[in-house]
Amino acid sequence: AQSVTQLDSHVSVSEGTPVLLRCNYSSSYSPSLFWYVQHPNKGLQLLLKYTSAATLVKGINGFEAEFKKSETSFHLTKPSAHMSDAAEYFCVVRFTSGTYKYIFGTGTRLKVLA
Amino acid sequence: GAVVSQHPSWVICKSGTSVKIECRSLDFQATTMFWYRQFPKQSLMLMATSNEGSKATYEQGVEKDKFLINHASLTLSTLTVTSAHPEDSSFYICSARDSQGRFSYEQYFGPGTRLTVT
């Protein structure tokens, strides 16, 4: 069965420093993986997705993620944090057949310090 | 781009009453829509998969008689919370999967509906 594990429930970084949000997945098949961001009291915004093309995926707002099959990881990174990046981030795996439903990780709350 | 709307964006109702939430795909057809619930400071939990013209598939532990889902057209799914109680207060989010390939068969999320039961 597919699942994702977000290794950190909270991450704090200083503005201008790199961001690393960790995600490991479990899947019997080649997975489709996504990162979404949710600002307080807002809906979800897609940051980026991996669907078996390039292993390094570039997304919006300077974020990128690298799919590493050997490590079953899909960590989200950004070279330089901005105050506006403070939000909840969700790693998501999609079922590869049937209903194509999504399974969400537990989320990582990113705090950016001035 | 692909847009999914939800109505209402927030609703307050009294305990014991029923509330209907609409989810619409505005510029694509969706034979499959999904309903999620998100409690404060928690992740999204899939409640059910809504299939156009057929019965919804509920996740384990979700009461189908309490959360009625109707997917009557290719662009509209509704979630009715029946006999709502304070513990049903939550953020309900829907998503719709592009069934025509107009937007790469991907799934798109609505902005959510905040339900408060008093």
Side-chain angles (χ1 to χ4, degrees), chain A residues 38 49 94 101-102 105, chain B residues 34 38 43 59 106-107 109:
Chain A
Q38 186 180 37
K49 63 182 180 182
R94 182 179 69 191
K101 62 184 180 182
Y102 284 18
Chain B
F34 303 87
Q38 184 181 32
S43 186
E59 296 298 304
E106 292 293 354
Q107 192 177 140
F109 286 85

Side-chain angles (χ1 to χ4, degrees), chain A residues 23-73:
Chain A
C23 173
N24 285 97
Y25 70 90
S26 173
S27 177
S28 301
Y29 306 96
S30 180
S32 292
L33 295 160
F34 305 78
W35 276 99
Y36 282 86
V37 62
Q38 186 180 37
H39 288 89
N41 299 310
K42 299 290 186 182
L44 296 170
Q45 181 180 23
L46 177 65
L47 284 176
L48 48 81
K49 63 182 180 182
Y50 167 76
T51 55
S52 75
T55 56
L56 182 62
V57 183
K58 293 187 182 298
I60 62 172
N61 301 335
F63 285 94
E64 63 181 39
E66 186 172 7
F67 174 75
K68 291 186 176 181
K69 186 175 181 179
S70 61
E71 299 177 9
T72 62
S73 68

Side-chain angles (χ1 to χ4, degrees), chain A residues 38 42-44, chain B residues 3-11 19-26 33-38 44 47 75-79 81 90-96 108-115:
Chain A
Q38 186 180 37
K42 299 290 186 182
L44 296 170
Chain B
V3 179
V4 176
S5 69
Q6 283 186 239
H7 179 79
S9 57
W10 61 272
V11 57
V19 173
K20 180 183 286 188
I21 302 170
E22 292 185 349
C23 177
R24 292 181 186 273
S25 56
L26 298 185
M33 293 185 175
F34 303 87
W35 287 96
Y36 298 84
R37 179 168 53 185
Q38 184 181 32
L44 279 74
M47 299 174 65
T75 59
L76 173 64
S77 176
T78 60
L79 169 69
V81 183
S90 187
F91 195 47
Y92 291 87
I93 300 174
C94 75
S95 67
Y108 299 90
F109 286 85
T113 296
R114 186 162 302 283
L115 170 63

